[in-house]
Amino acid sequence: MFTRMIKQLWTEWFLMQMVVSITSAGLQIEPRYQVDLIEGLRIFNTTYRGLNAVEGFHQLSPAVKLTGVSRQLLLPNETFTKAAKLLLHSNEFTLMVTLKQEKRNTGTLFGFSRGSNRFLEIQSSGRKDELRLYYTHNNITYVETFPYRLADDIWHQVALSVSGNAVELFVDCNPIYKRVIRDVDRNITSRNTSLWLGQRSSHQFLFQGTLQNAKIIGKSHGYIVQCPHLDTDCPTCGQFRELHLSVLHLENYIKSLAEKLAQAEQRLAAVEECECQRKCHVNGSVRPDGSTWANGCFICTCTKGETTCHHKPCDSAPCKNPVLLPGNCCPTCLKKCFMDGKHIDHGEEDNRRPCRKCYCKDGIINCEKPQKCLPLPCMEAEYIRVEGKCCPICRDTDYCSQGHDCHHNAVCHNLHTNYTCRCKDGYSGDGKQCEDINECLQTGGHNGHYCRENTQCLNVPGSYICECLPGYTRDTNYYCVDHDECLSGQHHCDLNAICINTEGNYTCECREGYTWNGYSCKPVCNQTCLNGGQCVATGICSCRHGYTGPTCELDIDECQMEIHQCHANSECVNMLGWYYCHCRPGYKNQLTDNHYGMMCQDIDECVTSSHTCHLSTVCVNKEGSYQCDCKENTTCSLNCMYYGTEMPDGDIWISADSPCTECSCNGGVVTCQKQTCDCSRTDINLDCCPQCDTTSFCRHQEAPRNFHNGERWVYQCQICECLFGEIDCWEIECPPVTCDHPVRHTGDCCLRCQDDVCSSKTFSSDENSGNITTNLYHGRGCAYKGYSYQSGEPVPFNRDPCTTCNCKAGQICCTYSPTCYDKSSVIDNLAIKGRYRQAKSSFVRESDQYLLKNQKMEDPSVSPESIPYANIPFSKLPLVASQINIPHAKMENYPANMLLKTTGGDNPNSNHDSTDGWDNAGKGIREKQVYFKDFQGFAGKQGNIRSYHDKSEKLVSLPEFGILRNILMSTSASESLLKD
C-alpha cells in the first residue's frame, strides 16, 4: 500500500510539471500563468497622466514612458486579483520587466503596497546602483539588495525569480546573483494592498524612464519567458521543497496509520483476554457466564466473569411497624392489641387515659404507673388544674421561663394555663417555625415595602432596605436624589477629559486635541511620531534619544553639536541615530571595538613608505603626520610624489579616487579632503555639493516637512536622502552593540544594550512634558567645550532652543523638547533658509509682529557659538523674546537679563576679574541685569553706537560689543504677546 502511495505522489508531481511544455527552444510558460501589467492598464483605451506609449526594446509588445512627479498607475482590480491568485497558489514566481531608467533615478518598477508600507516590491536605485526586493515574512518587511547599475539610460532585461526560499537575479539573460531569503508571505488578498506600476504609491518612488514586458509569472523557470535559451535547473528549489513537504506529509500519514494499528492490536488483545475469563469463580465453585443463583437473602448473577448480588425483593407489610425477625429475609407484622374498643398496631402508644401512658407490644398492652406530683410553691387555694395533665399548677405561672420550643425568630407569650409562640415582625409562621417575609415582592401593605423612585428594594432578614441606584445618593430612608459625580470628583474620567453629569450617571468626553472613550484619552498628533517617538500632547511628539524635530524625523548630529566622546586622535562620524569615531589621517586603529577612538595610534609613514616626500628629501615622522626635510648640506625639492607623478609644491588637484575630493601639495606632504561647498560659485559641482541645488526639494513621506538636496532622515528604519528632488531609501546601518544580550524595544530600528543610558524603553515624565532638566542617572561626569559637568547636570547647548542635553553617566544625552513651540499658533516661523545659516544683516519683517537683526560679533573674546541663539536653525520668535526678556514699550525703563559666555582667556586684553558690574555665574559665563537707558553710559568705553527703535520712533543706543547678537524689535501688533 505504501509503495502505491509513493508512486502516486511521484505521478502527481510529474503531471504538475507537464504544465510547462517542452519545445525546440526549451520551455514555455502557458499564458494563464502570466500577468502582463502594462496590458492590464489598457493604455490604448485609457489615458494616464505621466504615461505615453513609445517604441520599446521589443517590437511586438507595448512600451510606456513614465515621466513627471504626479501620476496614478494603479492596476485594475481584475489584474490585481489574477496576480494575487498566482502568488497564493505557487511558491515559485518571477517578477520580470524590460526597462530603460534615467540616470540617478530611484523608482519602483512594480509591486504590491499600501500607502508607505511595502508588501512585495521590486525597486531600482540609481543613487546606490542597486536593485532591491522588498518582501514580507511573518508581517515584517525585509529587503534583499543586489548591487547592479540599471539607471544608465540603457535597455536592460531584468528577471527576479523566487523559488521557495531561494531568489535568483537575471540581467540581460545572464544569471547575476543567487541568494537564500526568508519564506515570502504570498497571501496578498488579506492585506488590503494595491498593485502599482512604476511607483510605490501615488507620490512615492516614481520611476522615470521606459518600461516594457512588466509581468508577474506564477510558475517555475519564469525567466525563460524573457530568455528562452537559458539553462534550467530540475528540480528547482521550490519543486524540491514541495516534494519534501509531500514526503513529510506522507511520513506523518504513515505515522498516524501505525498509531491506529497499534491501538487496534491492543483492543484485539483485550478481546482475546476477555474470552478466557468469561466464567465466575465463587467460593470454590465455577458459575457459567449469565447464570443466576440464590445465596441466602441475595440473588447473584455472573456477567462476563464478574459476580453481582442484590437483595431478594420483599412485599410491603400491612402494618405501621414491621419487624425483621432472625432467620427471615423480609420484615413481618407482629400481633395487634385491642384497647378501649380499638385495635392498635405493635409499637403504637395510647394516651387517652389521664395520667397514664399505654403501648402495644406484640399483642400485649403495657401501661405505665401514674405520675407522682411535686409540691407547688403556692397555697392550695391558688392551685388550678389543666385539662390533660395529671398534676395541678399554680395560678399566674411563667411558662416561658420554664422552657419553650418557640423558633429563634419568634417571641414566647404566657397564657393562663400555658404559653404561645408568635413570629417577630418581618417573619411569618406558627411560632414554632418562622420564615423571613420578602417585603420586596409587593409594594405597600403590612408585608410590603415603601421604597420610592431612584431606589431598589433589598430584602434583609426580618426587614428591607431601600438601596440607592448607581448614580444616586440617599436623601431619606426611602428616597434618593441624583449624585453629581463631576462636582464631587468621584468619577473615572481621564485627566484630559471633561466630565458631564447626567441623571443617575455621567459621561466623559476627551478634550479638544485628544481622542478615545473619555475614560482614557490619548493625544492626537496630526502627523505620525516617527522613529519610535511618542505622541505626548496635542500635536507634540516626544522623541527617542538620537532624534529630534516636530515629528522626530531629524537626526541629532552629535558631531556637529560636539556632544560626542571621540578621542583627540579620532574624528566623529555622524550616523542617523548614532555616531562612531574614526581615526584621523595619520593614525590607525588598534582595536576591533574602538567606538570612542581611544586606541588610535600614530602611523609612522616614513617606516611604512606611505609618505609622499620627494626622493631628494628625508621623511621625518610627526605625531599624526610627517614632514619632508632636505638632506644635510644638500638642496632638495619640496614637490610631492602622488601615485608616481611629481606634483609641484602648492599645487591643488582633484583626487583620482573621488571627483569630490580635493588634494594639495604642501612641502612634500599631500593632503586630501572633501571639497568645500561654496554655493555662491556658479561652477560648483552639484554631484559633490547637492545641497547647493536650490531648484528642487523633497517632501517627507508623512511629516509636513521639506528637505533640501543632500539632507538625510530616517523613515521606516531606512535612511532616506533627498538628491535632485528625488528620494532614495536604503537599510539603516545599526550601531555595534557590546553587550551579550541586546534588546529591541517597540519603535527601535536597531538592537540596544539594556544599560545604554541614552536609551529608554519608556518615556519619563520629564520627557513626556518636554521639560528635561534633571535625570536620575549617577556616575562619572561629562566634558563639553572644556568644562566638566556632573552626572545629572544639564549641559548648556544653545544652538537649538528645542534641544536639551544632560550628562548621564559619562555620556551627553540630548532630547527634543516639544514645549518649545508652545503658544506659537499666532506667530510666524522665523524665515531662515537652510539649517545654521546666517541671517542677513538687515531687519526682516514677519507679519507685522517681530523684527530680527543679526549683528556682527566684533569683540574677539566672545565666542559666537556660545552666545544664546547666535545660530537659530528653527525656532519661534516668542520663545527667543521671552528668554532674553526684550522689552517692548518704554524700553529705556525695562531691565534685560543678558548672558555672555566668553572663551575664558583667548583675548589677552580682557580682564575677567574687572567686569564692571557683571557677575560670575560659573567659569566663562557672565550675567548682568542692565537697563536699556544704561547703554548710553557704555558709549564712551565701546565707541560704536547702534540705535534700536520701535514704531514710536523712540531711540535707544546700544553698544557694539556683542552682548546680544540677535536684537528683537517689538511692534504694536506684538505688545500684547510680550506682556504675557
Side-chain angles (χ1 to χ4, degrees):
M1 180 180 67
F2 296 153
T3 304
R4 184 169 65 255
M5 294 178 63
I6 294 176
K7 288 183 178 180
Q8 182 180 358
L9 178 64
W10 277 100
T11 302
E12 291 177 355
W13 178 80
F14 178 76
L15 292 176
M16 177 183 65
Q17 303 310 312
M18 287 300 293
V19 175
V20 182
S21 58
I22 300 178
T23 65
S24 59
L27 301 176
Q28 185 176 7
I29 308 294
E30 293 184 6
R32 62 194 178 103
Y33 292 102
Q34 304 180 34
V35 178
D36 192 320
L37 304 185
I38 297 179
E39 182 180 303
L41 287 175
R42 301 168 185 165
I43 59 176
F44 298 109
N45 298 325
T46 308
T47 302
Y48 295 93
R49 182 170 59 178
L51 181 148
N52 294 295
V54 296
E55 183 179 352
F57 183 76
H58 307 282
Q59 296 182 353
L60 301 179
S61 58
V64 292
K65 185 175 179 59
L66 307 182
T67 58
V69 295
S70 176
R71 56 175 182 261
Q72 194 85 0
L73 300 185
L74 181 64
L75 272 298
N77 187 61
E78 57 181 296
T79 305
F80 168 83
T81 303
K82 182 179 179 181
K85 287 183 178 179
L86 281 182
L87 295 175
L88 180 63
H89 295 100
S90 175
N91 70 340
E92 297 188 84
F93 61 90
T94 298
L95 308 178
M96 185 185 78
V97 66
T98 302
L99 60 89
K100 185 168 75 169
Q101 185 178 10
E102 294 181 4
K103 296 180 179 179
R104 298 189 300 195
N105 170 250
T106 297
T108 296
L109 307 182
F110 56 85
F112 297 87
S113 63
R114 180 179 60 191
S116 300
N117 299 317
R118 299 90 65 198
F119 182 75
L120 180 63
E121 177 184 307
I122 180 172
Q123 182 186 98
S124 172
S125 171
R127 194 90 48 81
K128 292 288 186 177
D129 289 335
E130 60 189 23
L131 187 73
R132 302 165 185 155
L133 171 65
Y134 292 96
Y135 67 96
T136 305
H137 171 73
N138 291 339
N139 296 323
I140 301 176
T141 301
Y142 295 90
V143 59
E144 191 70 23
T145 302
F146 305 93
Y148 200 91
R149 179 174 176 79
L150 294 174
D152 53 5
D153 273 335
I154 299 175
W155 283 104
H156 294 285
Q157 297 182 95
V158 179
L160 200 63
S161 291
V162 177
S163 179
N165 62 345
V167 60
E168 189 170 8
L169 174 64
F170 299 87
V171 178
D172 298 330
C173 295
N174 295 310
I176 306 298
Y177 294 104
K178 181 179 286 188
R179 306 270 182 84
V180 176
I181 61 175
R182 297 171 176 85
D183 291 335
V184 179
D185 293 341
R186 294 174 287 109
N187 188 4
I188 296 177
T189 54
S190 62
R191 304 296 179 124
N192 191 26
T193 59
S194 301
L195 179 56
W196 296 83
L197 176 67
Q199 57 195 106
R200 174 177 295 173
S201 60
S202 59
H203 63 281
Q204 292 189 28
F205 295 100
L206 274 65
F207 177 86
Q208 305 292 338
T210 306
L211 296 177
Q212 189 179 23
N213 289 339
K215 295 182 178 182
I216 299 176
I217 302 172
K219 212 61 188 171
S220 60
H221 307 109
Y223 54 85
I224 64 172
V225 175
Q226 192 177 73
C227 305
H229 296 284
L230 277 180
D231 295 334
T232 57
D233 296 330
C234 187
T236 63
C237 180
Q239 292 169 347
F240 181 80
R241 188 169 185 178
E242 287 184 4
L243 179 60
H244 176 67
L245 293 176
S246 299
V247 171
L248 290 178
H249 175 72
L250 180 59
E251 289 179 351
N252 292 332
Y253 181 70
I254 294 174
K255 182 179 179 181
S256 176
L257 288 179
E259 292 175 352
K260 292 180 180 179
L261 179 59
Q263 294 174 1
E265 291 176 348
Q266 292 177 359
R267 288 195 295 269
L268 288 175
V271 171
E272 292 174 355
E273 186 178 358
C274 289
E275 289 295 334
C276 299
Q277 299 177 359
R278 295 178 68 87
K279 296 179 181 180
C280 299
H281 299 269
V282 181
N283 296 328
S285 62
V286 178
R287 302 283 182 172
D289 182 35
S291 63
T292 302
W293 65 97
N295 184 11
C297 294
F298 295 89
I299 298 176
C300 298
T301 303
C302 178
T303 304
K304 296 182 179 181
E306 293 185 2
T307 300
T308 56
C309 297
H310 61 275
H311 200 281
K312 289 182 179 180
C314 296
D315 297 332
S316 59
C319 59
K320 295 181 179 179
N321 301 305
V323 178
L324 180 63
L325 299 176
N328 294 343
C329 293
C330 297
T332 60
C333 295
L334 299 182
K335 296 177 182 180
K336 295 183 178 182
C337 299
F338 186 78
M339 183 177 179
D340 297 334
K342 181 181 178 182
H343 287 90
I344 60 176
D345 286 335
H346 165 78
E348 281 190 302
E349 293 183 355
D350 183 79
N351 297 322
R352 290 177 294 174
R353 297 182 182 183
C355 301
R356 189 174 65 170
K357 181 169 64 175
C358 300
Y359 58 92
C360 176
K361 184 177 181 181
D362 195 15
I364 300 174
I365 295 176
N366 295 315
C367 294
E368 296 179 352
K369 294 180 179 181
Q371 180 181 355
K372 183 179 180 180
C373 295
L374 299 175
L376 298 177
C378 60
M379 301 296 291
E380 188 174 351
E382 297 295 323
Y383 287 3
I384 60 173
R385 290 189 177 276
V386 180
E387 183 179 357
K389 292 188 177 182
C390 297
C391 300
I393 60 174
C394 294
R395 193 185 306 275
D396 298 328
T397 299
D398 187 356
Y399 307 104
C400 293
S401 64
Q402 296 177 0
H404 60 82
D405 58 354
C406 296
H407 192 265
H408 63 274
N409 285 322
V411 179
C412 178
H413 295 278
N414 288 306
L415 299 178
H416 181 62
T417 60
N418 205 337
Y419 67 89
T420 185
C421 300
R422 295 178 183 175
C423 293
K424 297 178 182 179
D425 291 341
Y427 295 91
S428 64
D430 59 1
K432 304 295 180 67
Q433 292 294 329
C434 297
E435 295 182 356
D436 176 59
I437 298 174
N438 190 351
E439 296 87 353
C440 298
L441 296 179
Q442 68 179 58
T443 304
H446 180 69
N447 294 328
H449 71 88
Y450 289 88
C451 295
R452 301 180 63 183
E453 59 269 19
N454 305 327
T455 64
Q456 179 179 2
C457 179
L458 177 65
N459 185 63
V460 296
S463 184
Y464 66 93
I465 298 175
C466 298
E467 191 177 55
C468 293
L469 295 174
Y472 293 89
T473 185
R474 185 171 302 283
D475 185 38
T476 65
N477 289 339
Y478 304 98
Y479 181 70
C480 296
V481 296
D482 176 58
H483 174 219
D484 192 336
E485 297 87 352
C486 302
L487 185 62
S488 65
Q490 297 176 342
H491 60 82
H492 298 285
C493 295
D494 190 86
L495 293 176
N496 294 309
I498 301 174
C499 178
I500 302 174
N501 186 62
T502 60
E503 182 66 25
N505 205 344
Y506 66 93
T507 60
C508 303
E509 292 183 2
C510 292
R511 299 180 185 273
E512 184 178 359
Y514 294 85
T515 183
W516 208 241
N517 56 12
Y519 298 95
S520 176
C521 294
K522 300 178 181 179
V524 176
C525 289
N526 296 329
Q527 297 295 331
T528 304
C529 297
L530 306 174
N531 299 316
Q534 186 183 56
C535 184
V536 295
T538 305
I540 294 177
C541 297
S542 183
C543 304
R544 283 192 180 276
H545 298 290
Y547 296 95
T548 185
T551 57
C552 308
E553 77 280 11
L554 299 177
D555 165 62
I556 290 181
D557 191 338
E558 295 87 354
C559 303
Q560 194 275 334
M561 294 167 62
E562 298 183 16
I563 58 173
H564 58 83
Q565 302 293 310
C566 292
H567 190 266
N569 293 341
S570 64
E571 54 189 5
C572 178
V573 180
N574 184 61
M575 304 292 288
L576 293 186
W578 61 292
Y579 74 94
Y580 69 91
C581 303
H582 181 72
C583 292
R584 294 182 181 275
Y587 294 89
K588 61 182 178 179
N589 187 13
Q590 296 294 331
L591 293 176
T592 303
D593 179 18
N594 192 21
H595 182 67
Y596 294 122
M598 301 294 293
M599 295 301 295
C600 293
Q601 295 186 359
D602 174 61
I603 299 174
D604 191 339
E605 295 87 353
C606 302
V607 174
T608 60
S609 299
S610 56
H611 62 86
T612 58
C613 294
H614 194 267
L615 297 177
S616 61
T617 61
V618 176
C619 175
V620 180
N621 187 60
K622 295 170 54 180
E623 180 68 21
S625 183
Y626 61 94
Q627 67 184 33
C628 305
D629 294 339
C630 294
K631 297 178 182 179
E632 188 176 356
N633 300 322
T634 62
T635 58
C636 63
S637 171
L638 294 181
N639 293 342
C640 301
M641 301 303 298
Y642 180 73
Y643 287 99
T645 303
E646 185 173 346
M647 309 298 291
D649 182 25
D651 198 8
I652 300 175
W653 66 94
I654 301 299
S655 171
D657 299 328
S658 172
C660 299
T661 301
E662 193 173 72
C663 298
S664 62
C665 176
N666 296 289
V669 178
V670 173
T671 303
C672 295
Q673 59 184 5
K674 186 178 179 180
Q675 290 185 24
T676 302
C677 294
D678 183 3
C679 296
S680 62
R681 292 172 49 187
T682 57
D683 60 343
I684 192 72
N685 187 349
L686 296 181
D687 289 330
C688 300
C689 302
Q691 65 270 28
C692 295
D693 180 14
T694 59
T695 61
S696 59
F697 61 91
C698 302
R699 291 186 175 91
H700 191 277
Q701 293 91 331
E702 291 187 37
R705 179 178 177 82
N706 294 336
F707 291 95
H708 296 291
N709 287 303
E711 286 190 285
R712 293 185 177 185
W713 64 99
V714 176
Y715 179 71
Q716 291 185 341
C717 293
Q718 289 188 306
I719 298 176
C720 298
E721 182 184 37
C722 177
L723 201 63
F724 306 110
E726 290 191 5
I727 297 175
D728 190 15
C729 300
W730 55 92
E731 289 303 292
I732 191 171
E733 185 176 352
C734 292
V737 291
T738 57
C739 53
D740 294 331
H741 303 287
V743 295
R744 177 182 286 135
H745 299 302
T746 302
D748 286 338
C749 296
C750 300
L751 293 171
R752 296 175 181 262
C753 292
Q754 288 279 30
D755 58 353
D756 183 0
V757 297
C758 284
S759 67
S760 58
K761 289 192 295 185
T762 58
F763 294 91
S764 67
S765 58
D766 283 339
E767 287 174 318
N768 283 340
S769 65
N771 301 321
I772 304 176
T773 57
T774 61
N775 64 77
L776 302 178
Y777 291 96
H778 300 283
R780 58 192 180 92
C782 307
Y784 176 64
K785 286 197 171 183
Y787 298 101
S788 297
Y789 301 90
Q790 296 180 357
S791 182
E793 186 179 0
V795 178
F797 177 74
N798 298 318
R799 295 188 180 181
D800 182 359
C802 292
T803 300
T804 305
C805 300
N806 280 39
C807 175
K808 294 184 179 182
Q811 297 188 38
I812 299 178
C813 305
C814 297
T815 187
Y816 185 77
S817 179
T819 53
C820 72
Y821 283 149
D822 284 356
K823 300 181 181 179
S824 60
S825 59
V826 296
I827 305 300
D828 293 338
N829 282 317
L830 179 64
I832 298 181
K833 184 178 181 182
R835 191 165 179 165
Y836 300 113
R837 293 189 180 180
Q838 301 289 336
K840 293 183 178 180
S841 182
S842 60
F843 287 108
V844 181
R845 187 165 183 136
E846 286 287 338
S847 301
D848 198 30
Q849 293 184 6
Y850 287 100
L851 300 178
L852 170 72
K853 183 169 184 179
N854 190 287
Q855 292 185 326
K856 181 180 179 182
M857 304 300 301
E858 295 186 354
D859 185 19
S861 67
V862 177
S863 171
E865 291 79 14
S866 302
I867 298 298
Y869 316 113
N871 293 296
I872 305 179
F874 52 89
S875 62
K876 296 286 185 171
L877 290 180
L879 177 73
V880 180
S882 64
Q883 292 202 16
I884 62 176
N885 299 321
I886 293 296
H888 55 86
K890 297 180 179 180
M891 298 177 56
E892 63 273 19
N893 296 325
Y894 282 80
N897 291 322
M898 301 183 182
L899 291 177
L900 176 64
K901 189 168 183 179
T902 67
T903 57
D906 290 341
N907 182 6
N909 299 322
S910 64
N911 184 1
H912 296 318
D913 295 329
S914 177
T915 56
D916 195 17
W918 291 82
D919 299 326
N920 285 326
K923 182 179 180 181
I925 302 177
R926 315 290 174 179
E927 181 176 3
K928 181 184 180 182
Q929 185 179 75
V930 297
Y931 286 83
F932 276 79
K933 61 183 180 180
D934 294 335
F935 283 140
Q936 294 284 1
F938 282 75
K941 298 180 181 180
Q942 302 298 330
N944 295 332
I945 300 295
R946 283 187 181 269
S947 62
Y948 179 98
H949 60 93
D950 63 7
K951 275 191 171 181
S952 63
E953 300 300 329
K954 296 178 181 179
L955 301 180
V956 178
S957 299
L958 296 180
E960 174 83 6
F961 73 101
I963 292 181
L964 291 176
R965 189 169 187 188
N966 296 329
I967 297 180
L968 292 178
M969 172 177 282
S970 168
T971 66
S972 58
S974 65
E975 290 179 0
S976 61
L977 292 173
L978 283 174
K979 288 178 182 179
D980 295 336

